Amino acid sequence: MKHTVKLFVKYILSGISLGCTSFVIMCLSFYVGGGEEFLREVFEDFGRQSAGAMLVGIACGGTAVIYQFERFSVMVKTIIHFCVGMGVFYPVALSLGWIPFYPDRIGYTVLQFLASCCIFMVIWFGFYLFNRNEAKRINERLREMEREDKCL
């Protein structure tokens, strides 16, 4: 239990870090790209914008702890992670103006939601590939150590 709590706190802090880093990168890209209008809105409401970025980071990073449990299949874990992540991201993004909402253009809103889902999946897949490669590297190193022990 103690290990699980420590792991969960680690994931939450990593999520906050990822949320803040993404927020800064987004702001820098608008700064470089000439998005003064967007940046003005962000800085006028900086506290809420920052808190929103951290909340999304917590939702996406904190729920990643589910991959540590053997109880569920990878598909169920992914669905839970996706639903919690998008369930927090999309309302936060709409309420903070990260994604515009046009009630009279529901097709646009659906398209924005699908684009957000695709971005989430691309990010998830990147982390999946990274972790899979790390596991391969660690397993290879363990095999090497095992071979070295047999030679001695």
Side-chain angles (χ1 to χ4, degrees):
M1 178 68 171
K2 185 177 177 182
H3 173 70
T4 304
V5 171
K6 286 171 84 173
L7 191 60
F8 188 63
V9 169
K10 175 185 170 191
Y11 276 89
I12 286 176
L13 294 175
S14 295
I16 291 171
S17 175
L18 183 61
C20 289
T21 301
S22 299
F23 181 66
V24 168
I25 290 171
M26 179 190 69
C27 288
L28 284 173
S29 66
F30 277 101
Y31 177 77
V32 170
E36 289 84 14
E37 174 81 21
F38 178 79
L39 286 175
R40 190 174 3 270
E41 291 177 28
V42 167
F43 292 131
E44 286 174 1
D45 194 20
F46 188 74
R48 281 177 19 118
Q49 296 286 333
S50 300
M54 287 187 269
L55 183 62
V56 170
I58 289 170
C60 293
T63 55
V65 75
I66 195 153
Y67 295 105
Q68 302 300 316
F69 302 110
E70 301 294 326
R71 194 175 321 173
F72 305 110
S73 70
V74 173
M75 180 61 75
V76 170
K77 293 173 189 179
T78 304
I79 290 170
I80 291 169
H81 187 208
F82 177 80
C83 288
V84 172
M86 287 303 295
V88 171
F89 168 75
Y90 205 70
V92 168
L94 287 174
S95 69
L96 294 176
W98 298 347
I99 298 174
F101 178 67
Y102 304 109
D104 56 330
R105 294 172 48 197
I106 195 68
Y108 180 79
T109 302
V110 170
L111 185 62
Q112 287 291 350
F113 178 74
L114 293 175
S116 299
C117 290
C118 288
I119 291 168
F120 183 95
M121 287 187 271
V122 166
I123 292 169
W124 180 91
F125 191 67
F127 276 102
Y128 170 79
L129 290 177
F130 173 79
N131 288 318
R132 187 181 75 173
N133 288 336
E134 282 294 298
K136 283 182 182 179
R137 188 183 60 76
I138 291 168
N139 286 333
E140 181 58 36
R141 179 65 184 132
L142 289 172
R143 278 190 222 96
E144 287 174 13
M145 290 171 64
E146 190 175 274
R147 279 183 250 144
E148 289 171 3
D149 285 346
K150 286 181 182 179
C151 291
L152 295 177

